[in-house]
């Protein structure tokens, strides 16, 4: 039986190649993603280790027990401590550091790569040789006084800076301008992963990030032969335990690698999603291929049974074939995966997130995953055909055609499929009324969608006849070849359904994602500008900084501005949970917000008086005129607030409104402003107005100036990942669907050699044969597409309806253009996949009919 399995694989290698390609694609994505993840993590660790290669121990100020940062005014990290540390046995050099963060504007005035944790800044601290080994100079010289600045090569390139340029930047206060005097290189992984670096002279950095003559850290290098862990203990023993602590360089390298890995985490998830989809869809191609192979070899298997082969041996023979195919596919897929892993850093890197390059790390988990996935999926997919092969009786050798499934088996399939359909559809319908996008409900909806897909696959052979007869009216317009194509597709509904299953799944996934993405995108568009009557919103890019209060007056005095209303955002804690509260000016808020009060008025806001949204009012059981026990921020105690009004939910106003003077006083950053809502005289927006507003806030890179359309575009940008997934799944489904159609038609042409020869003998030309095969492929592709569209749209409706509770503006919006394009792509896949089988069929001569007799 082993020799038989080997012979069968070699005998049908042309047909097995389609299965190998399908499995190879999935294995390549799985193994490539795992190798990429391991290699990227190792590259992060290596880069971080280089950054701290010369650092044995770092001394930093100790945070308070509550976790708040140490007070710079009481810091012990000063020149006195530097001299004491230099006397510790085993210390070779001592280099103090002053670290913080700074955001920069590019040369054209636009903010440059501003994001939390990725904009380090600090002091250039020269050693005895006049150089700072952490930042080797590439061009220019180090900053020497408060008016000078140095940046790294990546920042200079991204910002289009040259030596001598004036650079605009901000830390957490007013905007500054400095002259660029130096460009350095750095191994800091926060910077090399897409961040920026700004370096000041020591005195300037101390004023910005610490206090004069104090530091944020002191780096120590170890003398030859000194262990850094022993040195760390010596240093810790001479430090005031409650005010400073010592950390080894190795520990810092690990922490920084984790930080950078967190900033770039998630890049491996998208390829893994594609891998799962390709393997899931490819499993249907494998099942179909082995089912057709078993059907074609019915007489051969029956003869094996007649000469003594047991059912178990026959089943093992089929599974052994699958094992051999899986091993070959896994090996090829793993090699292809190495190529994918090598290019993924470039593919997934963006201007803001650059993934590090390094040697490929091939761990045992990647190899075992490739073998496990490739071989496992192939063998599991071939299990059902192997069972079917084992049931072939010796008498089957006397039959020349495959027997259709019995009526009883068809009835069982219909009952099971209908039951699953009712269960899945009912499950989704029951969830559609929940309007709660909780994780539990979403998981439940995914389960319902899975039941729906399984039901459609089970019912597909029974649905094939009525659906194809209906769509066959279109192919019938092509005359005799169209009628023959339709009948060929109906000849074996099980095979047609199995072939269409790949397109059914991929089309359903893409259609569902397209509907949800389009509906969510439109809802986000509406939500982004809902409740906003202002023409511009000025806000902070980072949660730890706000807008300079003095900028409100400058914005209000800007030419073309009618109203500038400041908003302070904070948290409101109530018995119903945490909510967001906006501190506003009651006299100007109606000019910049669209507030729809169902009771009360915003004019009544003041000390001890707030307004709440309908959601907050419902959760806490309060109405206008009632009392709400609440707390603003963390420092204030709970107190009774009078609810002066209830308004319809408004994303711009947030969950509650209060007087800005009171909210600002109790916010996390007292006296801060998070937003300025700007109404212009004409209501129109222009580049000139935006530039004037940017100038009014000092062209700070920490602030965003956005008009209504830009807010909408920013919200729509959140759908980019979903669209990437959608198009990736479409590509995978297209490739595997095409392989399935090619496989099926190639076997069908081989089985119908006599029939095609007879058609040629009675006068059908080669063009007619080719047209017939292509129309058959388009018919099968159309059947799978129709079922996929129906299931995908229905599933999207059920899953999307859950979002209505969390996003009031959500409503089902079918992307007709995308769905039409999806249909055309699927039909084109069918036509293109039929090219080779159609040409092979047309090449048959009439004499083939006699040869097969």
């Amino acid at each position: 039986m082993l020799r038989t399995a080997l012979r069968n694989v070699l005998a049908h290698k042309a047909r097995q190649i389609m299965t190998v390609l399908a499995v190879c694609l999935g294995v390549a994505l799985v193994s490539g993603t795992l190798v990429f993840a391991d290699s990227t993590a190792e590259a992060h660790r290596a880069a971080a280790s280089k950054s701290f290669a010369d650092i044995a121990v770092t001394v930093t100020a100790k945070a308070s027990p509550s976790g708040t940062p140490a007070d710079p005014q009481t810091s012990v990290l000063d020149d006195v401590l530097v001299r004491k540390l230099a006397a510790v046995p085993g210390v070779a050099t001592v280099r103090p550091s002053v670290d913080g963060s700074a955001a920069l504007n590019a040369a054209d005035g636009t903010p440059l790569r501003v994001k939390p944790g990725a904009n380090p800044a600090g002091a250039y601290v020269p050693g005895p040789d006049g150089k700072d080994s952490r930042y080797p100079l590439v061009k220019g010289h180090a900053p020497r006084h408060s008016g000078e600045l140095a940046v790294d090569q990546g920042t200079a390139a991204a910002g289009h800076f040259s030596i001598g340029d004036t650079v605009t930047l901000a830390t957490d206060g007013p905007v500054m301008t400095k002259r660029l005097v130096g460009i350095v290189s750095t191994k800091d992984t926060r910077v090399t992963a897409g961040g920026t670096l700004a370096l000041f002279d020591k005195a300037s950095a101390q004023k910005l990030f610490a206090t004069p003559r104090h530091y944020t850290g002191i780096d120590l290098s170890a003398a030859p032969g000194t262990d850094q862990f022993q040195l760390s203990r010596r240093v810790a023993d001479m430090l005031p335990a409650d005010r400073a602590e010592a950390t080894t360089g190795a520990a810092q390298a690990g922490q920084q690698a984790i930080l950078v890995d967190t900033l770039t985490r998630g890049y491996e998830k998208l390829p893994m999603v594609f891998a799962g989809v390709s393997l899931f869809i490819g499993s249907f191609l494998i099942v179909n291929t082995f089912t057709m192979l078993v059907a074609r070899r019915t007489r051969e298997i029956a003869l094996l049974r007649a000469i003594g082969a047991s059912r178990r041996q026959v089943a093992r023979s089929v599974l052994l074939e699958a094992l051999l195919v899986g091993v070959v596919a896994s090996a090829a897929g793993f090699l292809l995966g190495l190529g994918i892993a090598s290019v993924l850093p470039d593919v997934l890197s963006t201007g803001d997130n650059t993934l590090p390059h390094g040697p490929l790390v091939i761990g045992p988990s990647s190899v075992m995953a490739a073998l496990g996935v490739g071989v496992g999926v192939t063998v599991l997919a071939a299990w059902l055909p192997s069972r079917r092969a084992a049931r072939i009786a010796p008498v089957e050798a006397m039959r020349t055609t495959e027997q259709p499934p019995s009526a009883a088996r068809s009835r069982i399939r219909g009952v099971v499929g209908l039951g699953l359909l009712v269960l899945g559809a009912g499950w989704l319908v029951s969830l559609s009324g929940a309007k709660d996008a909780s994780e539990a409900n979403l998981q439940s909806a995914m389960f319902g969608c899975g039941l729906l897909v399984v039901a459609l696959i089970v019912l597909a052979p029974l649905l094939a006849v009525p659906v194809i007869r209906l769509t066959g009216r279109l192919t019938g317009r092509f005359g005799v070849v169209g009628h023959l194509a339709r009948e060929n597709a109906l000849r074996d509904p099980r095979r047609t359904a199995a072939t269409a299953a790949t397109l059914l799944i991929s089309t359903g996934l893409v259609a569902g994602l397209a509907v949800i993405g389009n509906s969510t995108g439109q809802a986000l568009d509406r939500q982004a500008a809902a409740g906003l009557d202002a023409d511009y919103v000025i806000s902070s890019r980072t949660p730890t900084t706000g807008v300079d209060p003095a900028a409100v007056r400058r914005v209000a005095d800007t030419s073309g501005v009618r109203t500038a209303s400041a908003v302070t955002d904070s948290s409101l804690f109530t018995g119903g949970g945490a909510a967001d509260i906006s501190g506003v000016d009651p006299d100007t808020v109606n000019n910049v917000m669209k507030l729809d009060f169902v009771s009360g008025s915003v004019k009544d806001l003041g000390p001890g008086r707030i307004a709440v949204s309908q959601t907050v009012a419902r959760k806490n059981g309060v109405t206008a005129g009632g009392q709400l026990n609440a707390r603003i921020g963390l420092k204030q105690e709970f107190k009774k607030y009078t609810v002066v009004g209830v308004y319809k939910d408004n994303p711009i106003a947030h969950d509650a409104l209060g007087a800005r003077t009171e909210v600002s006083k109790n916010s996390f950053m007292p006296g801060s402003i998070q937003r300025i809502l700007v109404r212009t005289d004409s209501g129109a927006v222009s580049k000139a107005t935006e530039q004037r507003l940017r100038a009014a806030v000092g062209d700070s890179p920490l602030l965003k100036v956005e008009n209504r359309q830009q807010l909408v575009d920013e919200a729509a940008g959140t759908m980019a990942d979903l669209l990437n997934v959608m198009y990736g799944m479409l590509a995978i489904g297209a490739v595997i669907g095409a392989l399935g159609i090619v496989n099926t038609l190639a076997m069908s042409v081989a089985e119908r050699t006599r029939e095609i020869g007879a058609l040629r003998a009675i006068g059908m030309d080669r063009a007619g044969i080719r047209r017939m095969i292509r129309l058959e492929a388009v018919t099968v592709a159309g059947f799978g597409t129709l079922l996929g569209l129906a299931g995908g749209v229905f599933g999207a409706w059920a899953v999307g309806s859950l979002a209505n509770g969390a996003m009031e503006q959500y409503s089902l919006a079918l992307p007709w253009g995308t769905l039409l394009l999806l249909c055309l792509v699927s039909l084109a896949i069918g036509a293109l996949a039929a090219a080779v089988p159609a040409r092979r069929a047309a090449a048959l001569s009439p004499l083939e009919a006699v040869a097969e007799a």
Side-chain angles (χ1 to χ4, degrees), residues 255-595:
Q255 292 170 1
Q256 186 159 316
I258 292 173
L259 171 62
V260 177
D261 186 56
T262 301
L263 293 174
T264 56
R265 185 180 298 165
Y267 285 102
E268 66 270 15
K269 292 181 181 178
L270 198 59
M272 196 61 80
V273 169
F274 293 158
V277 171
S278 65
L279 288 168
F280 180 63
I281 298 176
S283 64
F284 290 89
L285 173 58
I286 300 168
V287 171
N288 198 25
T289 300
F290 278 95
T291 299
M292 289 187 292
L293 287 173
V294 168
R296 286 211 67 199
R297 287 157 44 197
T298 299
R299 298 180 65 182
E300 173 189 328
I301 294 172
L303 286 173
L304 288 173
R305 294 276 288 113
I307 61 175
S310 66
R311 292 186 175 185
R312 180 174 297 179
Q313 286 177 311
V314 171
R316 286 178 178 174
S317 175
V318 175
L319 290 176
L320 184 57
E321 289 182 47
L323 177 64
L324 295 174
V325 170
V327 170
V328 173
S330 297
F334 186 76
L335 294 177
L336 180 60
L338 296 180
I340 291 175
S342 65
V343 301
L344 274 179
D346 292 323
V347 172
L348 296 177
S349 292
T350 64
D352 291 337
N353 287 296
T354 303
L355 297 177
H357 286 268
L360 293 180
V361 177
I362 303 174
S365 60
S366 303
V367 178
M368 296 305 296
L371 287 173
V373 168
V375 175
V377 169
T378 309
V379 172
L380 285 176
W383 178 78
L384 189 59
S386 72
R387 299 260 304 174
R388 190 171 298 163
R391 287 198 299 267
I392 296 176
V395 72
E396 297 287 341
M398 302 171 61
R399 296 174 179 167
T400 58
T401 59
E402 181 186 0
Q403 298 300 305
S406 65
R409 186 175 299 174
S410 295
R411 283 195 297 271
I412 293 174
R413 175 185 286 270
V415 170
V416 173
L418 189 60
L420 290 172
L421 183 65
V422 171
L423 180 60
W427 190 287
L428 292 174
V429 169
S430 66
L431 285 173
S432 64
K435 297 188 183 300
D436 178 14
S438 64
E439 184 176 354
N441 278 345
L442 288 175
Q443 290 177 350
S444 187
M446 293 298 102
F447 177 73
C449 289
L451 286 177
L452 188 64
V453 170
V454 174
L456 290 176
I457 292 173
V458 172
L459 288 174
L462 304 179
L463 295 173
V465 175
V467 173
I468 291 177
R469 288 203 181 280
L470 179 63
T471 58
R473 296 179 181 179
L474 297 176
T475 57
R477 296 180 179 273
F478 290 89
V480 174
V481 293
H483 289 292
L484 287 173
R486 181 190 64 189
E487 294 306 314
N488 285 335
L490 291 173
R491 179 179 298 183
D492 189 344
R494 290 183 301 172
R495 178 181 297 182
T496 297
T499 305
T502 54
L503 285 176
L504 185 158
I505 297 168
S506 60
T507 302
L509 285 170
V510 174
L513 285 173
V515 172
I516 293 175
N518 186 65
S519 302
T520 305
Q522 291 190 15
L524 288 172
D525 291 352
R526 292 189 291 269
Q527 180 174 288
L532 179 66
D533 213 15
D535 300 305
Y536 287 93
V537 176
I538 302 174
S539 60
S540 175
R541 293 180 181 275
T542 61
T544 58
T545 58
V547 183
D548 181 8
V552 179
R553 174 49 54 193
R554 296 197 299 271
V555 171
D557 294 338
T558 299
S559 174
V561 172
R562 186 170 77 183
T563 305
S565 184
V567 180
T568 295
D569 296 321
S570 188
S571 295
L572 180 73
F573 299 93
T574 68
D580 294 323
I581 185 170
S582 298
V584 298
D585 182 352
D587 296 329
T588 61
V589 67
N590 275 326
N591 294 329
V592 293
M593 287 187 188
K594 296 176 182 177
L595 296 172

Side-chain angles (χ1 to χ4, degrees), residues 61-64 68-77 210-211 214-215 243:
K62 196 169 187 177
S64 67
T68 57
D71 185 357
Q73 301 294 333
T74 61
S75 174
V76 296
L77 306 185
T211 56
H214 286 79
Y215 308 99
R243 299 176 65 187

Side-chain angles (χ1 to χ4, degrees), residues 228-252:
Q228 63 176 240
F229 295 99
Q230 294 177 350
L231 182 61
S232 175
R233 286 193 292 270
R234 291 178 200 162
V235 170
D237 290 340
M238 57 85 59
L239 294 174
D242 58 336
R243 299 176 65 187
E245 59 185 349
T247 308
T248 63
Q252 293 179 81

Side-chain angles (χ1 to χ4, degrees), residues 633-677:
L634 295 175
K635 296 181 179 179
Q636 185 193 33
E637 298 295 330
F638 275 90
K639 59 180 284 188
K640 294 288 185 181
Y641 280 92
T642 300
V643 178
V644 298
V646 177
Y647 57 90
K648 291 184 178 179
D649 288 12
N650 187 315
I652 301 298
H654 293 163
D655 304 310
L657 289 171
R660 185 168 65 85
T661 52
E662 181 164 10
V663 174
S664 177
K665 179 176 60 178
N666 298 300
S667 68
F668 298 106
M669 295 184 292
S672 66
I673 293 172
Q674 277 67 52
R675 294 178 286 164
I676 304 177
L677 307 184

Side-chain angles (χ1 to χ4, degrees), residues 185-225:
S185 62
T186 180
K187 298 173 184 177
D188 191 328
T189 50
R190 295 171 297 175
V191 181
T192 58
T196 61
L197 174 67
L199 296 175
F200 308 88
D201 65 288
K202 185 172 72 172
S204 298
Q206 286 175 327
K207 290 180 181 179
L208 289 170
F209 307 123
T211 56
R213 296 182 299 279
H214 286 79
Y215 308 99
T216 59
I218 302 174
D219 298 328
L220 311 176
S221 66

